[in-house]
């Protein structure tokens, strides 16, 4: 059965036009079903340039593009986010942190709804700090947890605290893990991902402008995180999981680790090494898409 996007907002039905302001798109000015109706896979990541590189990569992998082919930014009318499309794949940047990705997801979910898309899979591909893993390892998220290791996303709405589940699709995680085994190029694990509100103090770093704890306290915290099942830390997965759950969308988070936080705080690998690391989630998700489309 077709699984369509579910919108948890009855007010949208009363609107004559829906303007997706941060995408520079609108139902009154764009034919969403014609533009996006064939989308089945959506990949989101922080950097516009990385998402442009991903669409070029997947186009070549699916035989839908040629080397050096240019892919226009669908959201060129704004400088907030970038969006690219080839065949059934949509690639969208989301910026850094929960506020930025949540704004993008509100408009992305509405875009998919207005386009009458069905059976959508959304995957966040990104970078993270690892805990107890060698740099370059890929983590497929089982649950996104907050900084107290609880699998929940907490938000204040109309002055009241609302708590939402951050579970991700277990079967999708297993399928991605199987894909990594078939690729056989890098270490991949399934584990919990801690989603924090900032990069420095929220992740227990010692190298920010402000730090009022010591190294022993930091290491104790990170070891407690590891013991609770956390294998990496980033800043978007909790709201991503919560919003996809509410919208009935199958979702996954696939992030590469740039360092082992038990051994340090600063990312000091060379540029070339970091570029290769960042390509690993793209390779894994690209292989998954090819396999899903029967092209492996």
């Amino acid at each position: 059965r077709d699984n369509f996007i579910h919108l948890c907002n009855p007010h949208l039905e009363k609107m004559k036009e829906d303007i997706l302001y941060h995408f520079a798109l609108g139902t009154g000015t764009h034919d969403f079903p014609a533009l996006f109706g064939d989308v089945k896979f959506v990949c989101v990541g922080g950097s516009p340039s990385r998402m442009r590189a991903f669409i070029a990569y997947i186009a070549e992998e699916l035989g839908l593009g040629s080397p050096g082919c240019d892919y226009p930014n669908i959201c060129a009318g704004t400088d907030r986010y970038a969006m690219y499309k080839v065949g059934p794949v949509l690639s969208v940047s989301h910026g850094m942190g929960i506020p930025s990705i949540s704004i993008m997801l509100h408009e992305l979910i509405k875009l998919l709804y207005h386009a009458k898309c069905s059976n959508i899979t959304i995957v966040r591909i990104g970078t993270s700090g690892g805990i107890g893993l060698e740099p370059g390892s890929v983590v497929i998220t089982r649950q996104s947890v907050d900084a107290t290791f609880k699998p929940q996303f907490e938000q204040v709405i109309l002055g009241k605290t609302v708590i939402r589940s951050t579970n991700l699709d277990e079967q999708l995680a297993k399928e991605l893990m199987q894909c990594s085994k078939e690729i056989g190029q890098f270490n991949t694990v399934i584990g919990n991902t801690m989603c924090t509100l900032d990069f420095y103090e929220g992740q227990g770093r010692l190298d920010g402008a402000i730090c009022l704890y010591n190294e022993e306290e930091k290491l104790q915290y990170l070891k407690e995180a590891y013991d609770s099942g956390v294998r990496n830390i980033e800043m978007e997965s909790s709201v991503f999981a919560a919003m996809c759950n509410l919208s009935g969308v199958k979702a996954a988070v696939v992030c590469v680790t740039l360092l082992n936080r038990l051994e340090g705080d600063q990312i000091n690998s060379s540029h070339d090494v970091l570029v290769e690391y960042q390509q690993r989630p793209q390779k894994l998700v690209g292989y998954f898409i090819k396999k899903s489309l029967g092209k492996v």
Side-chain angles (χ1 to χ4, degrees), residues 26 96 109 114 117 121 132 162 228 282 293:
M96 189 182 297
I109 290 165
H114 292 313
C117 294
T121 298
V162 176
S228 75
Q282 296 185 21
L293 294 173

Side-chain angles (χ1 to χ4, degrees), residues 133-147:
L133 296 174
E134 286 296 311
S137 298
V138 172
V139 179
I140 301 167
T141 304
R142 176 184 291 110
Q143 285 182 320
S144 175
V145 301
D146 64 16

Side-chain angles (χ1 to χ4, degrees), residues 14-26:
K14 304 171 186 176
M15 294 168 51
K16 292 182 179 179
E17 179 183 6
D18 190 4
I19 298 171
L20 309 185
Y21 172 73
H22 301 89
F23 284 168
L25 298 171

